[in-house]
Amino acid sequence: MTITGIIAEFNPFHNGHKYLLEQAKGLKVVTMSGNFMQRGEPAIVDKWIRAQMALENGADLVVELPFLVSVQAADFFGQGSVDILARLGIDTLAFGTEEVLDYQKIADLYAERGQEMEFFMENLPDSLSYPQKTQAMWKEFAGLDFSGDTPNHVLALAYAKAVAGRKIKLHPIQRQGAGYHSVDKDVDFASATALRQHQSDQDFLERFMPSVNLFENASKVSWEDYFPLLRYQILSNPDLTAIYQVNQEMVVRIREAIKIAKSIEELVELVATKRYTKARVRRLLTYILVQARESDLPEGIHVLGFTEKGRQHLKALKEQVNLVSRIGKEPWDAITQKADQIYQLGYPSIAEQNFGRVPIRIETN
């Protein structure tokens, strides 16, 4: 049987995600961001709600990405995610993209010329941001051009790099509906951005979101709920350079900007430069919020939920993979668990995220 891996955030889960799961083949294994997202923002609803929505709509197994994989630039996000899925025995990686290309050919190119490509990137000017360097590399070696509005395509290229040299087939699926950042309501498939923006419009949610009751009854948060906590961390920490990836240049910019910024968006605008993109700044601010330090990734894989098919797959893997189905006194991953505790501060009714929680079990799919 085909075992298909899917890398996801489901922030929140919508009809486009359901379509992706329907197009994927065989047993569907999802590795999903926890309570903080790749672009450096808190999830609108917690990881358990999002995992349940996925399991009710086609996923067979959902596991959690550790914080230091989830909140990363595309290449590191892709690499860490594929490493976990490979340990879970996938033979295919399915993903949505704005541009359906021969990604397998791109993966083979990277397997063959990866060192040369990385050397090319290292020698580009420091004035370029990391995404700009990556795009220059793909243009030089694969002849790819970028419109600037294809974030899923950029992630797809990161996945191609991550599977290079592995026995994992790539299965690109044409992304449906409006653009990633579109807030349009008059569409066939609404974006996650639109659903977050129009979260109080019940008719809109019911039209574009399966398992909508789970979402409507959940505690919802945004960056603004954490802005006072972030201000406190910036103002009270004497050495922000001890935080993961935060350098002295960023410390100076952040400390100046926090004096006048009235919101997270204002702070990001003031700190971002051509070299430091807004997404990178948001990631740095997320690291500061949770006081993240450099750390080894956990050996265990945290299971959030499964169907009966997913349970059977886990049973077959048990001897080969360190699976964590319940977090007790011993932490699964200290940074992720600290991030979850801070996530809970965003809204008083957010449930305990780790201790005593057991995987969600869906009897029928």
Side-chain angles (χ1 to χ4, degrees), residues 8 19 34 45-46 59 62 98 134 193 219 241 251 281 298 301 355 360:
Y19 176 81
V45 294
D46 75 51
V62 181
E98 298 89 352
T134 305
T193 306
S219 302
T241 59
V251 171
V281 170
I301 297 173
F355 300 107
I360 297 156

Side-chain angles (χ1 to χ4, degrees), residues 176-190:
Q176 300 297 305
Y180 182 89
H181 298 295
S182 167
V183 293
D184 287 355
K185 287 174 144 185
D186 188 18
V187 288
D188 293 329
F189 287 83

Side-chain angles (χ1 to χ4, degrees), residues 237-275:
N237 189 325
D239 182 17
L240 289 173
T241 59
I243 304 293
Y244 182 63
Q245 290 191 2
V246 179
N247 61 29
Q248 189 57 42
E249 180 189 353
M250 278 290 105
V251 171
V252 171
R253 294 187 67 82
I254 290 166
R255 287 209 192 278
E256 281 304 306
I258 202 66
K259 293 174 187 173
I260 51 174
K262 298 288 190 293
S263 68
I264 189 71
E265 282 310 310
E266 218 176 296
L267 181 60
V268 171
E269 283 285 346
L270 289 165
V271 175
T273 63
K274 275 176 78 175
R275 187 176 164 208

Side-chain angles (χ1 to χ4, degrees), residues 64-93:
E64 179 176 4
L65 283 177
F67 177 85
L68 284 183
V69 173
S70 181
V71 188
Q72 287 282 10
D75 281 357
F76 304 98
F77 175 80
Q79 186 65 55
S81 301
V82 168
D83 286 346
I84 290 169
L85 288 170
R87 287 161 64 197
L88 293 170
I90 69 158
D91 52 45
T92 304
L93 182 69

